[in-house]
Every structure is written in structure tokens, then in C-alpha cells.
Amino acid sequence: MSAVIKLEHIDVTFKSKTRTVQAVHDVSLSVEKGEVYGIVGYSGAGKSTLVRVINLLQRPTKGQVEVNQQDLLALKPKALRQARKKIGMIFQHFNLMNARTIADNVDYPLKSSKLTKAQRRAKVAELLDLVGLSDKKNAYPAQLSGGQKQRVAIARALANDPEILISDEATSALDPKTTLSILELLRSLNQRLGLTVVLITHEMQAVKEICQKVAVMENGQIIERGDLLHVFSQPQKQLTKDFINTATQIEQALGKVLQQPAIKHLRSNERLVQLSYIGDSTDQPIITELYKRYLVTANILFGNVEILQNTPVGNLIVTLSGTEKNLNAATSYLRQAQVNVREIKVGRDVIPLTKKEHA
Amino acid sequence: MVAIFAHYFPNVVGISDEFVQSTWETIYMVVATAIIAGIIGMFLGVALTVTEPGHILAQRTVYSVLDKLVNLFRSIPFIILLAVIVPFTRLLVGTSIGTTAAIVPLVLGSAPFYARQIQNALVEVDPGIIEAAESVGSSPLEIIFRVYLKEGLSEIIRVSVVTLISVIGLTAMAGAVGGGGLGNLAISVGYNRFQNDVTFISMIIILLMVFIVQVVGDFFARKTAH
Ligand SMILES: Nc1ncnc2c1ncn2[C@@H]1O[C@H](COP(=O)(O)OP(=O)(O)OP(=O)(O)O)[C@@H](O)[C@H]1O
Ligand SMILES: [Mg+2]
């Protein structure tokens, strides 16, 4: 495996008369061929600035940019434009040309290519077919829905057969269903064409859907990164946890659970716990085992199981009831089975729900 | 019909040939100015747009010089420009009176105005679209011709109509100080000889021109907006 995108120690500083903003601060990022790499972060974290460095729409103040084994910063303008053709980009607001038809929009990048008119027409037809919009070729962007516009933008981005596709919040203006269909399209492009995808978003949901790797950005820096499964199951930073929570809704559920009278007045032989696990643990009938072995009954109050890259990642909120001794034994059994057990002390250990609101 | 016209506009009938000629002179001045000032203004407008800091050919000094120049020329009242420019006009066309001579101040008066209008039209083009074009490897020249001028076309037509109408107005003023055309007719005959009907009909013809430009312009502006 070789890195198709290699950013090293990137700094981007915006200077104006009144203030300086360091949008990106010493970020190194390496994306392997064929990967779908997610970058999440709240607004202003520097995500757009960072990815615009990949095709040098934004020149870094400091650092190295290597794409497709080429040092982009060393290229002359003409060579740089040539290199850009191999880096497709799609945007939150689609950025289609309103005065051109759908077919013309897709044809636009081919205008400066060596293809003949007939070859271009065939290529456009093929691309529109790929994104499922052949019937709209003579329509204008204003006549399309958001999802359709983004499909056109994807077709346009792919016109020069790029190896990399950068998606800057491409689904942020779309409804959940359309978002899924666009992500689905990106996934299939990744699998069928071996396209490397860099996906920027503020929705963990989107990352969860298609990314293999993820980086979390805050204040111009990557604060956490790694395999999706790893980051998702063992987030280190609070921000990462917040993001994951927006996808799993576990904290919100916990808040509601804690409001219930039965939980507020937990009996002495009951414990409220959160069980989290990845992968294998789910194959064993854990809950049944608990009763069989320790006579501990589990009452599931909330459950969420995500399938990330074909691996289940589960979160359950349950009350376990049994004798003190058995509860302890059951807990160690769970831990042995690679289940993360977190006891929630009712009344004291209430999880604050407002943590991410001010971020 | 003719009798009624002759009754209400006695002086006009007598100089109908002059009316035809003056109308042609006005059309000549408008068209010539439109072409020359159109080219200069378009070039300056595009230059202003792309050299502005943050745009595709950002050149702070070039932008600020152009910007100030355009502002300067736009600040000179046209009637004074007409007078100030006389020596230059003589140098350029050999005379300072007549329709051809009038074209010099007309161009100087309208090109900066048009440049600013074009700039205003082009800044309307979504920067996101420009960015998308850059991301597929378009060169600055390609972006100017294939994106700015294409995406801004409808707006360009709209501001061209505004400029053309203002040029028609300026020709009347130039005409009054020796440029010929309908403005000249309205002042030198209609006003000076108290032949109000001549002034009135001159005005009607000018209004008619404005009306035609407006209608045709609107039609194309609407046709090119998507
Ligand atoms: N051209 C610019 N000039 C000055 N400051 C800028 C410029 N572009 C971005 N910034 C600043 O850099 C910081 C990072 O912006 P950036 O657009 O990269 O954030 P982001 O993570 O993409 O946010 P969002 O989710 O809102 O798109 C912000 O503080 C922003 O104000
Ligand atoms: Mg952004």
C-alpha cells in the first residue's frame, strides 16, 4: 500500500490587517490508495482549509504536499492544473454552473482535454449513467433536487478519471435519505473504481456509513485518528466521544432512562450499567449466560448496535438484578468476554447532556 | 392623419429631413460609443474582477490603480468632461465638433461606468463555481471565458442595457454642445427658436430608442437566465 495523499506538517495562516487566524496547525495526514478517509470536526475546525491544501486551492504557509507521488508545491501553474485534474472535488453547495445544462456541466472539465466532440459526448453519457441521471441531461441545475445536483457534481468531478475524490461536506445540505444515497454512491465508486475518497463532514453518521479511517479535527489540529472501528469503540478525546454520541444517541437515551421513576429509585439488588462491545462478544448469548451462571437478570432499557465495516458495535443500557456477590461475578464475567461495563450511579453520576451544545 | 400631425407639429413637418438625419446621427454615436466603450469597459470590468484580492488573478496594485482610475473618471460630470477633453479630441480626430468628435468624450464618459457595471455583474458569479472550475484544472483564461462571461451573461446583458440607455442620454448632451444628433436638434432648433414641437418630437424619438433597447435587452436577459 502506498500513500496517494501525503501532507506533512501543514500550517495555514490567514493574515488580515486586523487579525491572524491559524486555520491549520502542524497537521500531517497520509491517505492510502483506495481508502475512504473521514475528517470530522465542528464548524471552523479547519477541515475545508486542510483539504483545499490537497489540490492547492489553498497554498499552505508551511509544509509538504505530495499527491500521487508528486510534490505539488514544486509544480509550475500548468503542471499543477494538470495534477488537479486527477483530484476531483465536490462541495456542500454543489457549485454547478447555472447557465449550463447538466450534460454541459459534466462536459466542462473535458473541454480542455484532447478528446473529440463525439468522445466527449460518449464520456458524458457514461458519467451521467454512472450517477443515474441520464434522463436529466438537458435540464438546468435549477430544475434539479439537491441530491440530483450533487450527483451531477460527482459526475463532473469524475470526468477526468481522477484517482482521488475530495468531498467537502457534500451531504450537509441534504436530507438523511438523500445523504444515504449519495454516500452509497461514493462507496460504490470507491469499490468499483478504486477511488480514494476524503470525506469531510460534521456528521459522524456519514463517517460511520462509509469510512475506513477517521480523523477528528479541532482548532486546526487533528486530535485523534485511526481505524474507524478503533476510534469508534475506544474514543480517547471528549470531542470524539461527543461526535460518536451524535451517531449512537447513547447519552440522550441515558438521560431519558435516568428520568424514569423505576430507575430513580433503584432497588438495592439492582445496578444500572452501560455495556459496550465490539465484534465477537455479540455472538455469545451473554444475557442468557448471566442468568444461567449467576442468576442475574438483565433488563434492557436501551440498545444500539451499529454495524461498522461488517463488525457490530453495541451499546446497551441495562439494569442487572441479583445478589451483591453474583452481580460482582457477573460483571467480571462480562469484562472477560470483552464487554466494557460502566456502572452508572443513579443520582450522583448523572451524565451532563449539554456538553456539546456550546462547542 | 398627416393634416392633424401638421397642425400640432408645424415646425417638425418643415424639417423632417433634418429629423431623419439627426436620428441617424444619434444612432451612429450610440452604436460607435457602444462598440468602443463596450470593448474597453468589458476589458476593464473583467480586469477589475479577476485582479481583486482573493480572486483568480489577484494583483493588489493593478486592482487598486484600475479601481481609482475608474472612480476618477466616473466622478467627472459629463458636461465638464465634454469641455475638458476638447484638446485631446482635436488631437485624436482633428476636430472637436461633429458626431465623430463627440464619440471621444462619449467613450471616456461611458467606458468607466460600463467597467464598474461589468464588475458588479461578474462579482455576482458564485465564488464556489469559480472554485469548482479551478478544482478541475481550468486556467484563469478558461475561467474568464467559460465561467465568468458565461455564468454572468444574463447579468451582463442587463447592465449593458443600463449602460446603453445612459449612453443615449449622454449623446443628447453631447449633441447640445456641437455633437449633432437629436440632442442638437432639440436645443439648437427646438429650444433656441422656441419651436417646442421640435423639442417634443426629439424627446419622443429618444424615448422610443430607449424603449426598444429596454425591451430587446430584457428579452435576451430573460432568455439567458436559467
Ligand atoms: N480565506 C480565509 N481568510 C481568513 N480566514 C479564513 C479563510 N478561510 C478560512 N478561514 C478561517 O479559518 C478557520 C477554519 O475555517 P474552515 O473553513 O477550514 O473550517 P471548517 O472546518 O471547514 O468549517 P465548516 O464546517 O464551517 O466548513 C475559520 O476560523 C475561518 O474563519
Ligand atoms: Mg468547511
Side-chain angles (χ1 to χ4, degrees):
Chain A
M1 284 279 235
S2 58
V4 279
I5 302 172
K6 230 160 108 185
L7 302 181
E8 278 176 44
H9 306 293
I10 299 293
D11 272 11
V12 180
T13 312
F14 294 109
K15 279 203 178 77
S16 72
K17 281 187 196 108
T18 48
R19 61 195 201 117
T20 4
V21 180
Q22 180 137 37
V24 175
H25 182 60
D26 193 25
V27 169
S28 297
L29 179 74
S30 150
V31 180
E32 309 269 299
K33 189 165 173 51
E35 254 175 9
V36 182
Y37 203 116
I39 299 177
V40 286
Y42 286 125
S43 189
K47 311 179 295 291
S48 296
T49 309
L50 179 67
V51 291
R52 290 169 79 258
V53 168
I54 297 174
N55 57 5
L56 288 196
L57 283 181
Q58 175 66 56
R59 283 193 173 261
T61 322
K62 230 174 70 195
Q64 288 295 314
V65 183
E66 198 187 295
V67 177
N68 292 326
Q69 273 79 43
Q70 255 185 322
D71 176 5
L72 293 196
L73 288 165
L75 296 181
K76 297 239 161 54
K78 193 156 178 231
L80 173 61
R81 290 199 290 270
Q82 218 51 43
R84 277 185 184 153
K85 290 184 203 283
K86 295 294 165 195
I87 311 171
M89 195 164 186
I90 55 175
F91 309 84
Q92 178 172 3
H93 299 295
F94 324 122
N95 299 352
L96 297 179
M97 300 182 194
N98 303 310
R100 293 180 191 275
T101 61
I102 298 319
D104 276 353
N105 265 283
V106 178
D107 183 49
Y108 176 83
L110 300 172
K111 277 185 187 300
S112 52
S113 72
K114 290 193 183 69
L115 301 183
T116 65
K117 269 235 157 69
Q119 285 172 318
R120 273 164 49 190
R121 211 171 307 131
K123 179 94 197 178
V124 168
E126 182 192 316
L127 287 161
L128 285 177
D129 190 42
L130 186 69
V131 298
L133 279 178
S134 300
D135 53 327
K136 299 280 185 205
K137 67 171 190 278
N138 293 322
Y140 282 91
Q143 297 162 304
L144 301 191
S145 71
Q148 290 172 327
K149 284 185 200 169
Q150 198 57 284
R151 284 167 186 274
V152 177
I154 291 172
R156 174 177 66 184
L158 296 177
N160 282 312
D161 302 313
E163 266 127 64
I164 298 164
L165 182 70
I166 298 170
S167 157
D168 189 356
E169 309 251 14
T171 59
S172 298
L174 305 175
D175 62 64
K177 189 157 164 270
T178 316
T179 294
L180 271 185
S181 82
I182 293 292
L183 292 174
E184 204 49 60
L185 175 61
L186 292 181
R187 191 214 310 273
S188 89
L189 293 171
N190 165 255
Q191 286 168 354
R192 283 159 60 190
L193 312 176
L195 196 67
T196 307
V197 180
V198 179
L199 186 96
I200 298 187
T201 177
H202 56 253
E203 305 159 315
M204 201 58 174
Q205 198 72 25
V207 170
K208 205 190 76 191
E209 216 56 56
I210 64 167
C211 294
Q212 287 129 32
K213 293 231 179 106
V214 59
V216 182
M217 269 192 95
E218 186 177 31
N219 295 329
Q221 288 179 298
I222 293 183
I223 56 164
E224 190 161 355
R225 69 176 97 199
D227 286 342
L228 177 72
L229 213 53
H230 187 257
V231 172
F232 224 83
S233 54
Q234 291 160 38
Q236 304 299 313
K237 296 284 197 311
Q238 187 55 46
L239 179 66
T240 316
K241 290 179 191 165
D242 288 348
F243 266 114
I244 291 167
N245 178 46
T246 58
T248 58
Q249 302 288 317
I250 193 91
E251 306 270 308
Q252 280 89 330
L254 199 52
K256 286 201 190 107
V257 164
L258 290 173
Q259 296 304 314
Q260 289 173 15
I263 303 303
K264 275 184 177 160
H265 313 288
L266 220 50
R267 270 173 278 149
S268 60
N269 65 338
E270 288 178 329
R271 274 184 205 172
L272 183 64
V273 294
Q274 178 184 348
L275 307 178
S276 1
Y277 55 85
I278 25 171
D280 311 311
S281 343
T282 29
D283 296 340
Q284 301 170 22
I286 289 172
I287 304 284
T288 348
E289 274 318 284
L290 289 183
Y291 187 74
K292 271 206 227 152
R293 292 188 187 201
Y294 309 103
L295 289 169
V296 167
T297 56
N299 181 21
I300 301 179
L301 303 167
F302 174 83
N304 176 288
V305 181
E306 308 271 350
I307 309 289
L308 302 176
Q309 302 181 290
N310 303 320
T311 311
V313 175
N315 271 292
L316 301 178
I317 299 174
V318 298
T319 45
L320 299 176
S321 31
T323 64
E324 177 84 16
K325 190 166 149 254
N326 283 353
L327 281 174
N328 287 340
T331 306
S332 20
Y333 163 75
L334 286 168
R335 293 207 165 114
Q336 252 163 36
Q338 303 294 320
V339 176
N340 192 353
V341 184
R342 180 169 73 115
E343 188 168 346
I344 299 157
K345 291 277 192 318
V346 180
R348 272 179 287 153
D349 191 17
V350 181
I351 310 297
L353 289 170
T354 49
K355 203 170 291 154
K356 66 172 247 292
E357 247 92 282
H358 62 257
Chain B
M1 178 72 194
V2 175
I4 298 171
F5 189 85
H7 176 75
Y8 285 105
F9 304 100
N11 304 305
V12 173
V13 177
I15 55 166
S16 60
D17 286 352
E18 266 180 69
F19 258 103
V20 172
Q21 161 142 14
S22 296
T23 304
W24 278 119
E25 281 173 4
T26 294
I27 291 174
Y28 165 71
M29 286 189 287
V30 170
V31 170
T33 305
I35 291 171
I36 302 169
I39 292 168
I40 298 172
M42 176 67 79
F43 179 83
L44 283 175
V46 169
L48 277 168
T49 309
V50 297
T51 57
E52 190 175 351
H55 290 73
I56 53 170
L57 290 173
Q59 292 283 343
R60 192 177 295 277
T61 6
V62 175
Y63 177 77
S64 111
V65 168
L66 287 181
D67 186 52
K68 301 223 160 66
L69 223 60
V70 164
N71 273 350
L72 179 79
F73 272 93
R74 285 196 57 196
S75 314
I76 305 173
F78 187 65
I79 198 83
I80 293 175
L81 182 74
L82 279 171
V84 163
I85 212 73
V86 164
F88 178 67
T89 308
R90 245 186 231 127
L91 195 80
L92 212 65
V93 290
T95 170
S96 67
I97 47 170
T99 47
T100 304
I103 290 167
V104 178
L106 281 172
V107 166
L108 275 172
S110 55
F113 176 75
Y114 190 49
R116 195 60 89 192
Q117 295 279 341
I118 288 293
Q119 184 190 12
N120 290 340
L122 297 186
V123 294
E124 291 284 305
V125 176
D126 181 358
I129 295 178
I130 305 298
E131 184 162 35
E134 283 187 288
S135 81
V136 298
S138 291
S139 68
L141 219 56
E142 285 168 344
I143 291 177
I144 289 172
F145 284 102
R146 292 176 185 166
V147 185
Y148 271 123
L149 296 185
K150 173 109 182 151
E151 285 295 300
L153 187 60
S154 175
E155 200 60 16
I156 289 172
I157 292 174
R158 218 183 50 70
V159 301
S160 300
V161 167
V162 171
T163 309
L164 210 52
I165 289 172
S166 111
V167 168
I168 293 174
L170 295 184
T171 59
M173 219 191 286
V177 296
L182 289 165
N184 178 41
L185 197 64
I187 300 298
S188 67
V189 178
Y191 182 74
N192 291 345
R193 297 185 204 156
F194 305 102
Q195 296 178 354
N196 282 336
D197 57 333
V198 172
T199 318
F200 184 75
I201 293 297
S202 301
M203 179 190 80
I204 293 294
I205 297 174
I206 287 175
L207 284 183
L208 211 64
M209 287 181 185
V210 169
F211 179 74
I212 291 169
V213 167
Q214 187 81 63
V215 168
V216 173
D218 281 353
F219 172 77
F220 283 107
R222 226 174 304 120
K223 215 175 135 112
T224 50
H226 293 286

